[in-house]
Amino acid sequence: MNQLIETTISFVKSELENAEGGHDWFHIERVYKNTLLISKKEDVDILVVSLAALLHDIADPKFHNGDETVGPRITREFLFKQNVDSKIIEHVVAIIENMSFKNSLENGKKFTSKELEVVQDADRLDAIGAIGIARCFNYGGFKNRALYNPEIAPNLNMSKEEYKTSNAPTLNHFYEKLLLLKDKMNTVAGKRIASERHNYMEGFLKQFYAEWHGEL
């Protein structure tokens, strides 16, 4: 297992060498660490959650013209070459296909497993708190979006397609996703950590608006 994890880490580092700062190797590393932390309190297959955490953003659809099939395909091909058991491969791929926030905006039957819940929580924790704020504005700058525009209200009832094509100011993303994640966590540890990071974001927004309006 250790050799497989090391090989996977090397592969991911190479694939994401020039990735956008919020979706680079360091994001993967943080999600991997979060996964191991949460897994201490959960009855899960540690190999499955480790591989899913390391490979979950190997080809984020945002950087592949919205194509959600690239990441699962690369994952399946890589793990097959490493002679990983087919059941493990399919479980890892299913996690990657079902863990994103935008897919939660769709109706219909979804794949579920305890391993998915753990990796999903680990990924969502990296989208909130201090690092979540930094990642949010980094991506907004990458897309040349406005920081904030009081005349453009957040869309609180977005479809998956609207979410994928939105060009709204960066601050709207707090209301359209980041502040919603606390109540979407699956695990006890995930909920506890998310609550702390959620409070930090609320404090940031309070300070942001005060500065914006010249009150501080």
Side-chain angles (χ1 to χ4, degrees):
M1 173 177 166
N2 289 341
Q3 182 57 53
L4 175 58
I5 296 301
E6 289 303 314
T7 301
T8 304
I9 287 172
S10 296
F11 172 70
V12 175
K13 281 184 176 179
S14 175
E15 288 288 305
L16 299 182
E17 188 174 0
N18 298 307
E20 180 265 333
H23 299 81
D24 57 4
W25 159 250
F26 295 112
H27 163 63
I28 303 297
E29 185 177 44
R30 291 190 302 270
V31 172
Y32 178 51
K33 289 177 178 177
N34 287 343
T35 294
L36 296 181
L37 178 66
I38 295 172
S39 293
K40 290 178 180 178
K41 300 287 187 181
E42 302 292 336
D43 182 19
V44 292
D45 185 323
I46 197 68
L47 179 59
V48 169
V49 295
S50 296
L51 291 173
L54 290 169
L55 293 162
H56 81 277
D57 264 349
I58 197 68
D60 189 303
K62 286 192 290 294
F63 308 106
H64 291 81
N65 298 313
D67 189 341
E68 296 177 37
T69 68
V70 180
R73 187 184 74 246
I74 292 174
T75 296
R76 187 178 276 111
E77 290 172 354
F78 168 76
L79 294 177
F80 181 78
K81 288 178 182 177
Q82 307 310 313
N83 296 313
V84 175
D85 181 88
S86 61
K87 287 185 179 179
I88 292 177
I89 294 176
E90 293 312 311
H91 194 170
V92 170
V93 169
I95 290 172
I96 293 170
E97 289 175 333
N98 288 275
M99 63 183 283
S100 74
F101 175 78
K102 66 179 179 298
N103 286 339
S104 71
L105 302 175
E106 284 185 314
N107 295 319
K109 188 175 181 180
K110 302 286 196 302
F111 166 84
T112 59
S113 74
K114 199 66 185 175
E115 286 78 10
L116 166 63
E117 292 180 355
V118 167
V119 182
Q120 190 174 59
D121 277 10
D123 186 41
R124 288 176 172 176
L125 286 177
D126 206 52
I128 58 179
I131 286 176
I133 292 170
R135 291 181 67 215
C136 185
F137 282 100
N138 189 85
Y139 185 71
F142 177 78
K143 300 293 284 187
N144 198 30
R145 293 176 181 169
L147 292 177
Y148 172 52
N149 185 337
E151 297 179 1
I152 302 176
N155 181 353
L156 303 181
N157 293 292
M158 278 197 286
S159 66
K160 177 180 175 180
E161 201 55 39
E162 287 173 326
Y163 180 85
K164 287 172 66 175
T165 57
S166 174
N167 290 306
T170 296
L171 210 72
N172 288 23
H173 196 58
F174 282 78
Y175 302 95
E176 295 168 349
K177 177 182 177 182
L178 307 191
L179 293 172
L180 306 178
L181 293 179
K182 175 176 70 72
D183 294 328
K184 290 180 174 289
M185 304 303 284
N186 305 299
T187 65
V188 172
K191 290 174 182 176
R192 175 181 57 79
I193 300 169
S195 180
E196 297 169 1
R197 297 190 183 192
H198 181 90
N199 291 339
Y200 185 90
M201 290 193 300
E202 288 190 324
F204 168 81
L205 289 170
K206 184 177 180 181
Q207 178 77 13
F208 184 97
Y209 290 126
E211 293 180 14
W212 184 275
H213 295 297
E215 297 169 358
L216 284 176

